């Protein structure tokens, strides 16, 4: 194994306890932390009903947090990083950008 493999993780070690699973968990927890903080800022502004943009952002943040929680559950179940459309491993580069991705790019595009 090269140093690059060890730091980036591979599809094989995304299983619970693997290097990839640990990296994925760190990314997801960072994501959860950032979104939760942003949500708290929005909530602290009080009544958002008159602010359409803030409301939209609020909904997006809540959905993202749900996705993050679901991804953490998949990590525990050992199914993290597997496309729900074609059952192929989702490329590591995509998971770096979107750690809670459920689909590979091809299947995601097909769903639109
Ligand atoms: Zn797919």
């Amino acid at each position: 194994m090269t140093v690059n493999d060890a730091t980036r993780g591979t599809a094989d070690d995304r299983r619970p306890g693997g290097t990839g699973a640990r990296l994925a968990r760190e990314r997801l927890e960072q994501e959860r932390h950032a979104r939760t903080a942003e949500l708290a800022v929005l909530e602290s502004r009080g009544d958002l009903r008159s602010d359409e943009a803030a409301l939209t952002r609020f909904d997006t943040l809540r959905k993202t947090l749900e996705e993050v929680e679901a991804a953490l559950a998949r990590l525990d179940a050992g199914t993290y990083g597997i496309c729900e459309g074609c059952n192929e491993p989702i490329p590591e580069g995509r998971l770096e950008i979107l750690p809670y991705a459920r689909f590979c790019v091809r299947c995601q595009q097909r769903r639109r």
Side-chain angles (χ1 to χ4, degrees):
M1 185 192 273
T2 66
V3 174
N4 196 41
D5 286 340
T7 47
R8 287 171 59 86
T10 63
D12 280 343
D13 64 14
R14 281 183 204 144
R15 288 176 304 243
T19 312
R22 190 173 49 77
L23 274 173
R25 188 175 300 278
E26 277 173 21
R27 279 185 210 132
L28 287 165
E29 281 173 355
Q30 273 173 16
E31 192 81 18
R32 178 163 65 180
H33 184 79
R35 305 298 172 185
T36 305
E38 200 180 332
L39 208 54
V41 169
L42 274 179
E43 277 173 341
S44 72
R45 285 167 47 185
D47 194 353
L48 296 177
R49 272 174 295 186
S50 57
D51 188 341
E52 192 110 355
L55 266 183
T56 304
R57 185 71 192 139
F58 192 81
D59 280 347
T60 305
L61 284 169
R62 273 210 316 231
K63 277 183 199 129
T64 302
L65 276 168
E66 278 171 22
E67 289 297 318
V68 169
E69 294 297 337
L72 284 165
R74 291 199 295 279
L75 209 48
D76 288 335
T79 58
Y80 178 79
I82 304 295
C83 174
E84 290 181 11
C86 62
N87 278 324
E88 293 293 323
I90 299 171
E92 186 63 19
R94 174 157 168 80
L95 290 172
E96 275 174 28
I97 300 163
L98 198 66
Y100 46 87
R102 289 174 185 272
F103 299 97
C104 68
V105 173
R106 211 180 41 181
C107 291
Q108 186 77 56
Q109 282 170 348
R110 213 177 280 162
R111 292 171 59 85
R112 280 185 188 142

